[in-house]
Amino acid sequence: MTLTLVHARYQLLETIRIPIALIGSAFFPAASMLFFVVPFAGDDPVAATFATASMVTFSVMVSSLFTYGVGVADDRSQPWDGYMRTLAAGAAPRFAGRILAGMAMTLVSLVPVVVIGALFTAATVTAAGFLLALGTVFVGALPFTLMGLAIGYALPLKAALVVCQVIFFPLAFGGGLMSSPDQAPGFIQTIAPYLPTRGAVELMWAAVGDYPLHPKSLILLAVWTVAAGAVAVWAYRRDEGRRFR
């Protein structure tokens, strides 16, 4: 546990030294709140609450993809990473430390979205709903964390950056994060249940308001999580094997 915390502290210090990485993760969801949610749904308590929950999910996805996808790929390109892999502590403390640091940065990236929702919209949530939503953040982050790790271990830095940039908007729009619950265009409603963003945002909507969960979205969320985890393990083992041939 001590080694895990040491690695988490190291990862946090590395991020703090280049704060633009955190600013970038928080920018898109916060900008979407200001330009779309506040003017168009800010006065409706129900719509504003669901929209804020959508932007929280958006922020979790963006932060997870870039923190792990680009962050891992960048670490792999450094000689220091090769040295760290030779240490007796093994991979588990480094891996767990990275997860802890990434979740901490994800929570920080949510602050602008929550503040904007609280100050500039009519969004409301009970104390129990807020705590439930906080727990949902960790559940919803899991598939995107694993997707980020898969990208980071499978691709070099430049390719990982491009892939993260290319996939996050289709995942957001296709999953219905940019529209009210069950009011998205027809083709979005058709494809949304098959994307991990839909299951994650439905969990968030259910946490903060009266929204019925759809089994298909949750089943596909679980499928995405397992598949992303399998690819992440494969990519890590492949990268490990290449380093020590």
Side-chain angles (χ1 to χ4, degrees):
M1 186 63 179
T2 302
L3 286 175
T4 297
L5 294 177
V6 169
H7 282 289
R9 180 175 178 271
Y10 165 74
Q11 293 290 337
L12 288 172
L13 288 175
E14 285 291 299
T15 302
I16 292 171
R17 286 170 183 160
I18 312 175
I20 190 64
L22 178 60
I23 294 172
S25 298
F27 173 77
F28 288 108
S32 298
M33 283 289 294
L34 288 173
F35 291 118
F36 298 107
V37 176
V38 173
F40 298 110
D43 295 330
D44 184 333
V46 175
T49 300
F50 283 137
T52 302
S54 296
M55 291 303 102
V56 166
T57 305
F58 187 21
S59 184
V60 168
M61 177 190 66
V62 172
S63 180
S64 297
L65 286 176
F66 282 89
T67 296
Y68 299 108
V70 179
V72 169
D74 183 46
D75 284 353
R76 288 173 52 235
S77 68
Q78 307 299 324
W80 179 251
D81 185 68
Y83 169 72
M84 292 288 287
R85 294 192 185 203
T86 66
L87 299 179
R94 293 177 60 239
F95 193 82
R98 183 182 292 280
I99 298 295
L100 286 177
M103 290 307 303
M105 302 314 293
T106 295
L107 291 176
V108 172
S109 74
L110 296 179
V111 172
V113 173
V114 175
V115 169
I116 292 170
L119 297 181
F120 301 109
T121 76
T124 60
V125 65
T126 64
F130 181 84
L131 292 176
L132 187 58
L134 187 61
T136 303
V137 164
F138 295 97
V139 176
L142 185 57
F144 307 112
T145 295
L146 294 172
M147 287 173 65
L149 290 170
I151 292 168
Y153 282 117
L155 300 173
L157 176 58
K158 291 182 179 179
L161 180 58
V162 171
V163 169
C164 290
Q165 290 174 331
V166 167
I167 67 173
F168 84 89
F169 260 123
L171 284 173
F173 280 99
L177 302 188
M178 301 302 174
S179 56
S180 300
D182 298 327
Q183 294 183 11
F187 75 99
I188 295 295
Q189 293 193 35
T190 300
I191 66 173
Y194 299 96
L195 297 178
T197 37
R198 187 63 181 195
V201 78
E202 285 193 5
L203 288 172
M204 190 63 68
W205 287 337
V208 300
D210 184 16
Y211 184 83
L213 294 170
H214 297 95
K216 181 189 287 187
S217 298
L218 300 183
I219 292 172
L220 268 297
L221 176 65
V223 170
W224 273 93
T225 302
V226 172
V231 175
V233 171
W234 168 81
Y236 177 81
R237 288 178 175 174
R238 188 190 67 161
D239 184 60
E240 194 83 357
R242 285 179 174 178
R243 286 176 179 270
F244 294 102
R245 281 179 182 174

